[in-house]
């Protein structure tokens, strides 16, 4: 069921931008009859010129479409830095690689904390495909850390040489292209994307099957997950190759992925009949994926069971799974806030800090909805961020 929202009007430039990408997608559909949803998703977000993340339009903050945890409070990044430091201490000549650094605020704050605790890495790699975001990241880091900017190296792909350290990603896996599928007469079909010329709208076309989808449904059945007719959801087949490629040259260290999502049993609950796919457009959340090509963010919740399995297939070890709130507290949030309160005399300033922290940790906000998964490579560690509450049994 579509949720009717009063979405903002497009500017002339936005309308022209979206029309160009829509035209390209229509031509692809006409040539093939339909295209996989993952292809539509990838073009909308990552087309070299017109994609949401590769284009020049604002994406983050009050002028963009959504706000991430690092933008809410620097203490998110300070806590993450404390966990990174514990990992780096066990590596030789370690580096950090952040995947998709957004505005650069998280990288800036992580470097602030690592510098404060004398745990700076040899290099701070940023794997970023957007030239626009790269420049914004460079400005943010250079402004705060002109003495550290030489340590920051932007990459188009993971390092080709062997290295040790920590890979981090905040709200990255949810932006990987997904396939959608639907159940009809007890069988699963891909919910591909077609185009209706009469209404001039992108539509769902469900008639395609393949071995990969059949195997996935068999796996769900083995785990006693049954889905009713009419059920619509997503799966991210590319996550396994993506994670394997990301970690291929990491010889020792850990991977920390933070995102919103569920275990597989929670993800494919029968009552979640419309899946988790949503769009963000100028701080409106809606489920009309077929609108505003190249202008809105598309995202699906993360299947953390699948992500953990991908790690095991990539020869990584499972290190931990917990909620964002417990992860932050396990990495010294309370102690840092106590110290900060002693140094801040302005009651209004402290109130704003406390309000931001509540958004990060309260169950009704981001505290439980966001999860953290840790995977390791040749490293003996029980990460401190996962010691307060172990949720691995849910996977």
């Amino acid at each position: 069921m579509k949720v009717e929202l009063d979405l903002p009007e497009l500017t002339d430039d936005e309308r022209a931008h979206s029309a160009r990408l829509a035209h390209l997608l229509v031509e692809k559909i006409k040539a093939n009859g339909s295209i996989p949803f993952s292809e539509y998703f990838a073009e909308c977000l990552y087309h070299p010129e017109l994609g949401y993340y590769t284009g020049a339009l604002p994406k983050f903050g009050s002028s963009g479409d959504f706000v991430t945890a690092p933008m809410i409070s620097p203490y998110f990044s300070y806590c993450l830095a404390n966990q990174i430091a514990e990992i780096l201490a066990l590596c030789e000549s370690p580096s950090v690689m952040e995947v998709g650094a957004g505005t650069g605020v998280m990288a800036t704050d992580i470097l602030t904390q690592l510098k404060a605790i004398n745990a700076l890495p040899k290099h701070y790699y940023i794997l970023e495909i957007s030239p626009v975001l790269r420049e914004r990241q460079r400005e943010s880091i250079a402004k705060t850390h002109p003495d550290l900017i030489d340590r920051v190296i932007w990459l188009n792909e993971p390092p080709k040489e062997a290295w040790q350290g920590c890979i981090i990603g905040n709200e990255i896996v949810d932006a990987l292209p997904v396939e959608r599928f639907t159940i009809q007469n007890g069988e699963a079909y891909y919910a591909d994307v077609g185009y209706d010329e009469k209404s001039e709208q992108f539509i769902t076309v469900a008639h395609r099957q393949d071995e990969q989808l059949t195997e996935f449904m068999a796996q769900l059945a083995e785990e006693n997950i049954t889905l009713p007719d009419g059920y619509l959801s997503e799966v991210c087949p590319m996550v396994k190759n993506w994670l394997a490629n990301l970690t291929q040259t990491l010889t020792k260290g850990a991977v920390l992925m933070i995102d919103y999502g569920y275990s597989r049993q929670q993800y494919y609950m029968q009552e979640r009949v419309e899946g988790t796919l949503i769009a963000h457009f100028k701080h409106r959340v809606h489920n009309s994926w077929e609108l505003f090509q190249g202008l809105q963010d598309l995202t699906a919740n993360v299947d953390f069971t699948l992500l953990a399995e991908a790690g095991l297939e990539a020869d990584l070890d499972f290190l931990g799974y917990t909620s964002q709130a417990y992860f932050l507290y396990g990495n010294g949030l309370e102690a840092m806030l106590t110290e900060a309160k002693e140094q801040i005399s302005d009651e209004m300033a402290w109130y704003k800090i406390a309000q931001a922290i509540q958004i990060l940790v309260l169950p009704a906000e981001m505290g439980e909805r966001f999860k953290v998964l840790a995977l390791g490579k040749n490293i003996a560690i029980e990460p401190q961020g996962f010691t307060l509450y172990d949720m691995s049994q849910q996977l």
Side-chain angles (χ1 to χ4, degrees):
M1 180 179 67
K2 292 292 182 184
V3 177
E4 296 296 330
L5 288 177
D6 182 19
L7 298 174
E9 288 291 324
L10 303 184
T11 66
D12 290 341
D13 287 344
E14 289 173 336
R15 190 172 288 106
H17 178 105
S18 186
R20 288 176 62 197
L21 183 54
H23 176 73
L24 294 177
L25 289 164
V26 170
E27 291 302 306
K28 282 192 173 190
I29 292 170
K30 286 182 177 179
N32 299 283
S34 62
I35 59 174
F37 188 84
S38 60
E39 185 174 347
Y40 175 89
F41 189 113
E43 292 283 18
C44 286
L45 266 58
Y46 305 114
H47 183 280
E49 296 178 11
L50 303 171
Y52 177 79
Y53 281 110
T54 50
L57 297 172
K59 303 158 184 65
F60 308 95
S62 58
S63 62
D65 299 295
F66 54 88
V67 176
T68 61
M71 303 178 73
I72 293 171
S73 170
Y75 285 94
F76 174 88
S77 301
Y78 297 162
C79 290
L80 181 54
N82 288 341
Q83 180 62 84
I84 292 170
E86 185 186 32
I87 294 164
L88 297 187
L90 300 176
C91 301
E92 295 180 11
S93 191
S95 295
V96 174
M97 181 169 70
E98 182 178 350
V99 186
T103 63
V105 66
M106 188 169 87
T108 301
D109 291 337
I110 286 174
L111 287 170
T112 295
Q113 180 66 3
L114 291 179
K115 183 178 181 179
I117 61 177
N118 195 29
L120 285 169
K122 177 182 178 182
H123 296 300
Y124 194 102
Y125 297 119
I126 295 180
L127 187 60
E128 179 61 70
I129 63 172
S130 169
V132 175
L133 289 178
R134 280 188 177 204
E135 188 55 36
R136 188 169 179 184
Q137 293 156 11
R138 189 184 304 276
E139 291 175 359
S140 174
I141 297 168
K143 181 179 180 181
T144 304
H145 299 295
D147 56 324
L148 300 180
I149 194 64
D150 289 342
R151 296 184 190 228
V152 184
I153 299 174
W154 279 264
L155 304 174
N156 293 312
E157 58 184 12
K160 295 183 178 180
E161 303 296 327
W163 67 288
Q164 298 186 18
C166 188
I167 299 173
I168 57 174
N170 181 60
E171 291 195 51
I172 295 300
V173 183
D174 69 82
L176 296 180
V178 295
E179 297 290 3
R180 302 179 88 201
F181 67 90
T182 185
I183 307 299
Q184 298 180 359
N185 298 320
E187 291 195 58
Y189 298 86
Y190 285 112
D192 292 337
V193 179
Y195 186 74
D196 180 51
E197 294 194 39
K198 185 176 181 180
S199 63
E200 297 185 333
Q201 290 186 338
F202 291 94
I203 60 173
T204 296
V205 178
H207 57 69
R208 184 171 63 94
Q209 297 175 309
D210 65 10
E211 184 177 350
Q212 189 175 50
L213 181 59
T214 301
E215 290 177 352
F216 175 67
M217 297 309 298
Q219 183 179 10
L220 294 186
E222 288 178 3
E223 299 179 21
N224 296 317
I225 298 174
T226 58
L227 305 177
D229 278 356
Y231 196 90
L232 178 68
S233 194
E234 318 85 29
V235 62
C236 186
M238 72 168 291
V239 71
K240 293 184 179 181
N241 287 337
W242 174 79
L243 187 59
N245 181 60
L246 193 67
T247 60
Q248 186 174 11
T249 57
L250 180 70
T251 58
K252 184 177 183 180
V255 180
L256 300 171
M257 290 293 163
I258 307 167
D259 226 310
Y260 43 88
Y262 310 98
S263 67
R264 181 174 294 139
Q265 290 287 339
Q266 295 169 329
Y267 201 109
Y268 299 110
M269 294 173 65
Q270 287 202 3
E271 53 265 41
R272 194 166 281 118
V273 295
E274 295 185 344
T276 72
L277 184 79
I278 57 172
H280 291 96
F281 182 66
K282 298 185 178 180
H283 295 279
R284 271 74 163 187
V285 177
H286 64 98
N287 61 353
S288 294
W289 57 267
E290 72 278 5
L291 301 178
F292 310 148
Q293 290 74 29
L295 299 180
Q296 66 179 2
D297 181 36
L298 297 176
T299 177
N301 276 248
V302 175
D303 175 355
F304 276 98
T305 303
L306 179 63
L307 185 58
E309 290 172 347
L312 297 180
E313 289 192 22
D315 294 325
L316 301 173
D317 298 316
F318 177 83
L319 296 181
Y321 176 62
T322 194
S323 69
Q324 176 172 292
Y326 281 110
F327 178 80
L328 296 179
Y329 282 120
N331 278 297
L333 177 61
E334 191 170 3
M336 285 190 290
L337 290 176
T338 299
E339 182 179 353
K341 188 173 184 180
E342 293 174 352
Q343 299 174 356
I344 297 173
S345 57
D346 187 333
E347 290 188 8
M348 182 54 66
W350 173 251
Y351 174 77
K352 290 180 179 179
I353 291 173
Q355 287 292 99
I357 295 299
Q358 288 187 357
I359 295 174
L360 295 181
V361 302
L362 286 180
E365 298 284 352
M366 300 175 73
E368 288 187 1
R369 190 164 70 93
F370 280 71
K371 315 295 194 310
V372 190
L373 178 70
L375 302 165
K377 187 73 168 287
N378 299 322
I379 191 169
I381 185 175
E382 294 182 9
Q384 60 195 21
F386 300 84
T387 56
L388 292 181
Y389 184 50
D390 175 17
M391 293 172 53
S392 60
Q393 73 281 357
Q394 293 185 13
L395 297 176

